[in-house]
Amino acid sequence: MAQMNMKEAIRDALRVELKRDPNVIVFGEDVGNVGGVFRATEGLQKEFGEERVFDTPLAESAIGGLAVGLGIQGFRPVAEIQFVGFIFEALDQMFVQAARMRFRSGGRYNAPIVFRTPFGGGVKAAELHTDSLEGLAVQTPGIKVVVPSNPYDAKGLMIAAIRDNDPVFFMEHLNLYHAFRAEVPEEDYVVELGKANVVREGSDVTIIAYGMMVHTATKAAEELEKTKGIKAEIIDLRTLNPLDIDTIVTSIKKTNRAIVVQEAQKTSGVAAEVIAQINEKAILHLEAPVLRVTGPDTVYPFAQIEDTWLPTPARIIAAVNKVMEF
Amino acid sequence: MSKVPYEVYTEEVEALSVLSPDGEIVNEAKMPKLTDDQLKEIMYRMVFTRTWDDRAVNLGRQGRLGFYAPVSGQEATMVGSEFALEKDDFICPGYRDMPQIVWHGLPLYQAFLYSRGHQEGGRIPEGVNVLMPQIIIGAQILHAMGIAMGYKLKKQKQVVITYTGDGGSSEGDFYEGLNYAGRFKLPVIFFVQNNGYAITTPFAKQTASLSIAHKAVAAGIRGVKVDGMDVLAVISAVQEAAELARNSEGATLIEGVTYRYRPHSLSDDATKYRTKDEEGEWNAKDPITRLGKYLEKKGLWSDEDTARVKEEAKAKVNEEIKKAEQTQKMTVPGLIDSMFEQTPKHLEEQKADFQ
């Protein structure tokens, strides 16, 4: 089995699908000739030609509209928005036009589109290149939201997203592109959308996270086990919409305590939604309130204080201690 | 191409005209090739459309229609541009452009259902290549560009036409769409019906550009301006643009200068921003009167024909609005099932609140 980092795994997924299905088309700013600013699509234009993998003029709304139009024509567009802060220029096409296509055409048309974008922080990038805007996406009816945390999932989720007949917002944490390598099968396989994954088993507390925070939570969990013998179970959500509440409830029935970790700002986001659903489905299994570890409700900061702005293992440990001692 | 000294071309352009307000052909070279039957069909459709519009306004006042954007005055740009297309060409309309998609094949009762806020209105029949009218001004321009790229990639010869107004030509999506169409040489026609007002804002306050057609220059595509009250000029310009597009010669921006006789919508009051004199000047250019004069001289049309078509249109509208009114109401569970190909569990659970 090949060793790949997350970027290579995503590229491999695109290659598998470009090869398998002639309707798959990959485009965006700089994705063709050089393979994107992160080189996630490197080599694909050479392999599949300029009609299937190409650079667009610099206009994000048009990238979104192009994807919607090609979707109507039966293609499966994989459209890259270069950095997460740039999706604001494309929001109408992504969250309105693509998300409403099936509904407003009575099912005559759909939007089998994957909108890829790097997101998240911690790489000291320029302003508006880093942020976590999944909260906007999960509030939008009609679009699925996927966030992989490792190379294996990234490939399987990307293949599933491309084959899905509805629009998918595929958010790739830019700090994970090169973070580590892992075994990734070379053949095609699917990681089903809408299914969370228990990445660490434990009996004392459930930590719910996604993207980079799965790794930050893992560090915290290892520390908690070493220093206090607390066994934390970690759930990687993988898909934020639809949310796999069943896996969360099953875990809470075992641990009776939970915290939710997200990089995004605190209010009204994914963590808030997870807690609301726990409240609806598992409140009688809880021994303590479910706490959130998140960024503060500010704009995403300039690089200098990024590392303290983002949730740290120390803040996760503090939250776990609070729910354990409640 | 020869080069001019560093100042960009800034001359005014004269609108293409084929048929004068007196019903005379003033430009034989640009006269579209149309049989007598086709000329009569165009007249039929314009008279029908105006009667439908009159009835729709009344239905709106009676509460039998919801949002409705009147079309009277714009029959030449609407009926003419659609008539110039092939049946399998694709239309991406703006919110006022219901006549084009109905003449392209959307059943009239579905147009009424759409206005009444019923999802069934948007269930576009197979074989009818249209989108439903777009509400976000300019979004449809990008869809047209994308659909056109699809035809190009599939090496099919269809063309795409999309519509917006003078206000829409100020949108960022308008420029992005034109630029992509130029860059990828796409088979698409951008038709701007310049009716002088974006709701209440007059064209003079919309842009300092000499015309909307000039905006094609920056995108590297063809730009043409036509008399939008002259249905023959409209057909001529759209046929030419469609032929170029079909022959892989790229996109055209067409500005049709026209006027909407009625307010923007049924909740707008045009007397607040227009004068009676101005309305009178445009009435004198009426597209239906103009073609009628021409056809009468050729012995192809008479007042009796107009009266007959009006009766036919009224009967058809009555029949179709009844059909719309008798259509079973939408349900929330039905709406939930239209969000995704397979309704996810959490949405399935939410149906329980509505059953």
Side-chain angles (χ1 to χ4, degrees):
Chain A
M1 218 181 283
Q3 292 278 320
M4 294 184 200
N5 62 30
M6 197 173 89
K7 178 188 79 177
E8 291 160 348
I10 288 166
R11 184 195 299 150
D12 198 46
L14 297 174
R15 183 183 288 117
V16 163
E17 287 306 282
L18 279 160
K19 211 178 262 182
R20 193 188 64 84
D21 182 351
N23 289 320
V24 174
I25 292 195
V26 174
F27 55 86
E29 293 157 7
D30 308 302
V31 308
N33 188 26
V34 301
V37 290
F38 289 98
R39 306 291 183 265
T41 55
E42 193 172 25
L44 297 179
Q45 186 178 69
K46 213 168 182 188
E47 192 174 344
F48 297 98
E50 270 197 58
E51 288 204 335
R52 307 219 24 226
V53 182
F54 58 89
D55 294 323
T56 62
L58 199 163
E60 288 81 11
S61 186
I63 291 171
L66 175 59
V68 171
L70 286 170
I72 288 166
Q73 286 279 31
F75 289 95
R76 293 190 174 274
V78 181
E80 181 180 306
I81 304 294
Q82 196 162 58
F83 286 96
V84 76
F86 308 171
I87 71 163
F88 290 108
E89 294 283 336
L91 277 195
D92 174 52
Q93 293 297 336
M94 295 171 65
F95 289 3
V96 180
Q97 305 300 335
R100 295 175 69 90
M101 187 56 73
R102 180 181 295 282
F103 155 74
R104 80 187 304 267
S105 70
R108 166 81 189 279
Y109 308 119
N110 59 321
I113 302 165
V114 180
F115 295 104
R116 292 181 48 228
T117 194
F119 86 109
V123 298
K124 310 252 185 295
E127 190 178 9
L128 284 164
H129 285 56
T130 43
D131 208 341
S132 298
L133 302 177
E134 64 275 17
L136 300 176
V138 296
Q139 279 223 337
T140 304
I143 188 165
K144 297 178 182 179
V145 185
V146 175
V147 183
S149 71
N150 61 71
Y152 178 88
D153 284 352
K155 179 172 172 180
L157 289 166
M158 176 60 82
I159 292 174
I162 292 172
R163 293 179 190 177
D164 200 282
N165 285 327
D166 290 301
V168 177
F169 186 28
F170 199 94
M171 304 180 74
E172 302 163 8
H173 199 291
L174 41 71
N175 216 351
L176 287 174
Y177 276 139
H178 308 113
F180 61 96
R181 285 173 192 276
E183 288 196 341
V184 175
E186 279 167 74
E187 68 271 15
D188 88 53
Y189 64 92
V190 163
V191 172
E192 194 186 338
L193 304 187
K195 292 273 181 258
N197 191 26
V198 178
V199 293
R200 186 182 200 274
E201 297 213 9
S203 49
D204 298 325
V205 60
T206 302
I207 305 177
I208 299 145
Y210 54 95
M212 188 66 197
M213 287 301 109
V214 172
H215 303 282
T216 309
T218 302
K219 276 185 199 148
E222 283 164 0
E223 182 72 15
L224 281 162
E225 179 145 24
K226 203 164 66 186
T227 56
K228 292 192 152 182
I230 295 172
K231 291 186 174 62
E233 179 147 299
I234 299 178
I235 294 176
D236 176 359
L237 290 175
R238 299 199 289 198
T239 300
L240 306 184
N241 185 15
L243 190 72
D244 180 5
I245 190 66
D246 292 349
T247 297
I248 296 169
V249 168
T250 304
S251 177
I252 286 173
K253 282 181 179 168
K254 180 169 69 173
T255 62
N256 310 115
R257 290 178 167 80
I259 67 164
V260 192
V261 188
Q262 68 179 23
E263 271 186 48
Q265 293 80 351
K266 191 165 197 172
T267 302
S268 302
V270 171
E273 178 57 29
V274 168
I275 292 168
Q277 292 198 31
I278 292 171
N279 175 46
E280 285 168 358
K281 302 200 177 211
I283 197 161
L284 295 179
H285 295 278
L286 288 173
E287 297 287 346
V290 182
L291 298 184
R292 286 174 283 182
V293 181
T294 71
D297 286 336
T298 67
V299 297
Y300 192 87
F302 289 129
Q304 199 154 94
I305 53 161
E306 235 182 343
D307 291 340
T308 42
W309 190 93
L310 292 166
T312 56
R315 284 177 57 207
I316 295 171
I317 289 168
V320 168
N321 285 335
K322 258 191 196 168
V323 298
M324 294 308 292
E325 289 157 14
F326 184 81
Chain B
M1 206 187 282
S2 67
K3 287 184 180 172
V4 295
Y6 57 89
E7 192 169 335
V8 176
Y9 172 73
T10 52
E11 283 174 70
E12 288 207 37
V13 60
E14 192 169 353
L16 173 68
S17 175
V18 172
L19 188 63
S20 75
D22 309 326
E24 302 291 338
I25 300 297
V26 293
N27 189 342
E28 283 289 351
K30 291 289 180 186
M31 175 70 188
K33 285 183 186 58
L34 297 163
T35 64
D36 287 352
D37 281 348
Q38 285 177 315
L39 284 165
K40 279 155 69 179
E41 177 65 19
I42 294 158
M43 186 66 183
Y44 176 92
R45 291 184 182 190
M46 290 206 295
V47 174
F48 189 110
T49 302
R50 181 157 305 172
T51 309
W52 154 22
D53 192 54
D54 292 343
R55 291 290 301 130
V57 169
N58 282 333
L59 291 169
R61 291 198 179 118
Q62 293 163 24
R64 295 170 73 188
L65 284 182
F67 175 77
Y68 179 74
V71 302
S72 288
Q74 298 185 210
E75 291 89 350
T77 50
M78 291 175 164
V79 170
S81 59
E82 191 282 332
F83 193 84
L85 302 174
E86 299 294 333
K87 182 72 193 123
D88 60 355
D89 289 337
F90 206 110
I91 300 180
C92 299
Y95 60 85
R96 199 182 303 282
D97 302 310
M98 205 52 107
Q100 294 96 306
I101 61 174
V102 166
W103 290 117
H104 212 56
L106 183 80
L108 189 54
Y109 85 94
Q110 284 193 268
F112 292 151
L113 276 173
Y114 177 81
S115 171
R116 290 165 63 85
H118 195 302
Q119 191 178 7
E120 186 63 28
R123 200 180 301 279
I124 302 156
E126 283 294 329
V128 179
N129 284 341
V130 303
L131 288 179
M132 290 312 285
Q134 180 55 241
I135 300 300
I136 301 299
I137 310 297
Q140 74 278 16
I141 294 168
L142 299 177
H143 302 159
M145 173 273 286
I147 293 167
M149 186 182 281
Y151 284 135
K152 185 174 176 174
L153 290 172
K154 293 195 271 190
K155 300 188 170 45
Q156 292 177 355
K157 284 293 177 193
Q158 283 106 307
V159 306
V160 186
I161 190 166
T162 183
Y163 298 88
T164 191
D166 34 318
S169 76
S170 296
E171 287 280 2
D173 281 355
F174 176 82
Y175 295 96
E176 294 190 17
L178 264 59
N179 188 54
Y180 270 53
R183 154 68 184 87
F184 294 108
K185 221 168 189 195
L186 301 178
V188 55
I189 301 166
F190 303 102
F191 198 116
V192 178
Q193 296 174 86
N194 178 355
N195 66 15
Y197 293 87
I199 306 189
T200 71
T201 304
F203 183 53
K205 291 186 180 173
Q206 198 64 241
T207 178
S209 187
L210 286 169
S211 76
I212 292 168
H214 278 84
K215 297 186 180 192
V217 176
I221 65 173
R222 270 179 88 232
V224 301
K225 181 172 174 177
V226 303
D227 178 350
M229 304 300 266
D230 172 354
V231 73
L232 299 181
V234 169
I235 292 173
S236 176
V238 175
Q239 278 182 343
E240 199 178 352
E243 198 181 321
L244 288 166
R246 261 184 255 285
N247 292 332
S248 309
E249 294 189 48
T252 300
L253 168 63
I254 300 175
E255 174 184 6
V257 184
T258 181
Y259 199 74
R260 67 167 149 76
Y261 293 163
R262 288 199 160 96
H264 159 72
S265 72
L266 302 186
S267 38
D268 174 39
D269 176 6
T271 64
K272 297 257 192 278
Y273 54 90
R274 300 199 306 212
T275 63
K276 282 274 165 226
D277 284 353
E278 181 186 290
E279 290 177 5
E281 280 168 33
W282 283 94
N283 276 311
K285 300 176 188 174
D286 186 70
I288 296 177
T289 310
R290 194 186 298 203
L291 185 67
K293 282 180 183 166
Y294 173 65
L295 295 187
E296 275 170 34
K297 280 179 223 166
K298 286 174 70 94
L300 295 175
W301 199 265
S302 66
D303 289 347
E304 289 76 52
D305 290 313
T306 300
R308 173 183 52 85
V309 178
K310 279 186 181 172
E311 286 314 308
E312 256 184 67
K314 277 185 205 162
K316 179 76 173 165
V317 167
N318 283 345
E319 198 181 299
E320 298 280 307
I321 188 73
K322 273 186 201 136
K323 198 169 167 188
E325 286 169 338
Q326 284 161 3
T327 302
Q328 205 174 14
K329 271 194 147 186
M330 284 176 74
T331 65
V332 175
L335 167 67
I336 284 173
D337 281 334
S338 69
M339 295 310 301
F340 295 101
E341 184 178 37
Q342 281 171 326
T343 302
K345 196 172 163 219
H346 72 285
L347 270 173
E348 204 58 67
E349 287 172 6
Q350 288 173 27
K351 283 183 189 170
D353 292 340
F354 302 92
Q355 272 159 344

